[in-house]
């Protein structure tokens, strides 16, 4: 019981600090035009849970009928392991190169690279570090969550990719939306959100205000727990990340 209370206190402190950070980002956006501020407040809305920004970094190993293979070596017609459909033929492989366009030469937008460190999502999930575009969803607790919503600064982080001026990304499209095994982690395949429904429930924070409300719910959970499913997923993975950092 004492340990549980300590965990709740730690979550409250952490969530309050995160809420301050979200608010500070919104305040900073007021220095630009209203249109630009809106984009900064919700820069990845519309790309979450599918679309052209759902990609794996070069070198990411995808489970195929022949075992794990780097995504850049795959081709249309080859079979990959899909969570719901079983072995499925690849319909399309597409790639793009991301360049540094953000402030101070950083990465920006829905394609911003996010590094999911080994074990961040569960035991051996992923089995080694995995780099995804920010709007790429992972399957956790039965729901698809854009990895941008799970960034916690410890086990799931924005990747600075030091030493690289460009990054190559690849998406894998199947006959229907599904979940692939990427380095042991459950990651969605490409989906056209205009014509196809996601293969699992999609949970997402649609902008800074939504995330701020989530942080405040987590902070208040020490008194009354009204957290929503995505709040709990995010908090659980944050706590896992802290434990992994302590054990390292």
């Amino acid at each position: 019981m004492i340990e549980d209370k300590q965990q709740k206190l730690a979550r409250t402190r952490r969530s309050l600090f995160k809420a301050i950070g979200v608010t500070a980002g919104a305040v900073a956006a007021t220095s630009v035009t209203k249109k630009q501020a809106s984009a900064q407040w919700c820069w990845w809305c519309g790309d979450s849970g599918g679309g052209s920004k759902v990609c794996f970094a070069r070198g990411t190993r995808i489970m195929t009928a022949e075992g794990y293979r780097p995504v850049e070596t795959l081709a249309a017609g080859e079979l990959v392991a899909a969570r719901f459909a079983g072995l499925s033929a690849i319909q399309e492989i597409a790639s793009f190169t991301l360049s540094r366009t953000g402030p101070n030469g950083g990465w920006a937008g829905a394609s911003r690279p996010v590094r999911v460190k080994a074990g961040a999502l569960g035991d051996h999930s992923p089995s080694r570090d995995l780099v995804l575009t920010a709007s790429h969803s992972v399957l956790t607790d039965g729901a698809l969550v854009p990895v941008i919503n799970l960034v916690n600064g410890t086990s799931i982080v924005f990747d600075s990719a030091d030493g690289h001026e460009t990054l190559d990304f690849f998406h894998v499209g199947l006959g229907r939306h599904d979940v692939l095994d990427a380095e042991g982690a459950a990651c969605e395949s490409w989906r056209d959100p205009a014509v196809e429904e996601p293969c699992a429930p999609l949970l997402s924070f649609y902008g800074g205000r939504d995330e701020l409300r989530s942080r405040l719910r987590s902070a208040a959970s020490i008194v009354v727990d009204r957290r929503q499913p995505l709040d709990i997923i995010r908090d659980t993975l944050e706590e896992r990340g802290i434990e992994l950092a302590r054990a390292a």
Side-chain angles (χ1 to χ4, degrees):
M1 183 64 69
I2 294 177
E3 182 181 6
D4 184 57
K5 184 175 181 179
Q6 290 176 338
Q7 289 176 340
K8 290 181 178 179
L9 283 169
R11 182 170 66 237
T12 294
R13 296 190 190 99
R14 185 172 62 250
S15 296
L16 287 174
F17 279 120
K18 298 281 188 177
I20 292 170
V22 172
T23 303
V27 171
T30 62
S31 62
V32 295
T33 65
K34 183 177 180 180
K35 181 178 180 180
Q36 290 171 324
S38 176
Q40 288 191 24
W41 188 245
C42 190
W43 58 264
W44 52 272
C45 291
D47 282 315
S48 57
S52 61
K53 307 303 182 185
V54 173
C55 300
F56 302 96
R58 176 182 290 276
T60 301
R61 298 178 304 173
I62 306 296
M63 177 60 77
T64 73
E66 302 170 346
Y68 284 107
R69 285 177 50 194
V71 64
E72 66 272 18
T73 69
L74 302 179
E78 294 188 282
L79 298 178
V80 293
R83 173 67 63 92
F84 301 110
L87 288 177
S88 299
I90 297 172
Q91 299 296 310
E92 177 187 6
I93 290 282
S95 65
F96 75 96
T97 298
L98 178 68
S99 299
R100 293 182 183 272
T101 58
N104 302 315
W107 309 102
S111 297
R112 183 178 183 180
V114 172
R115 180 174 295 273
V116 183
K117 296 183 181 181
L121 303 175
D123 291 341
H124 309 294
S125 178
S127 58
R128 67 177 190 175
D129 288 9
L130 169 70
V131 178
L132 306 170
T133 48
S135 58
H136 201 143
S137 290
V138 297
L139 184 72
T140 178
D141 286 353
L144 290 167
V145 182
V147 72
I148 177 68
N149 293 157
L150 302 176
V151 169
N152 53 39
T154 53
S155 59
I156 304 175
V157 299
F158 289 116
D159 190 7
S160 61
D162 292 337
H164 295 272
E165 292 303 315
T166 61
L167 294 172
D168 294 331
F169 286 94
F170 299 79
H171 78 232
V172 180
L174 306 179
R176 59 184 300 178
H177 191 234
D178 213 308
V179 174
L180 303 171
D181 177 340
E183 304 289 3
C187 302
E188 68 171 330
S189 65
W190 182 83
R191 174 177 73 93
D192 183 350
V195 299
E196 189 175 10
E197 292 296 317
C199 62
L202 177 63
L203 302 179
S204 178
F205 299 132
Y206 293 99
R209 293 181 181 86
D210 199 18
E211 184 180 359
L212 177 59
R213 286 191 288 267
S214 169
R215 288 294 179 183
L216 293 176
R217 286 192 296 268
S218 291
S221 64
I222 191 172
V223 178
V224 55
D225 196 345
R226 294 181 178 174
R227 291 178 298 162
Q228 297 178 7
L230 180 50
D231 306 335
I232 295 172
I233 290 171
R234 188 267 323 281
D235 291 344
T236 300
L237 292 182
E238 280 190 351
E239 290 161 8
R240 178 178 180 83
I242 291 170
E243 291 301 317
L244 288 173
R246 287 173 178 167

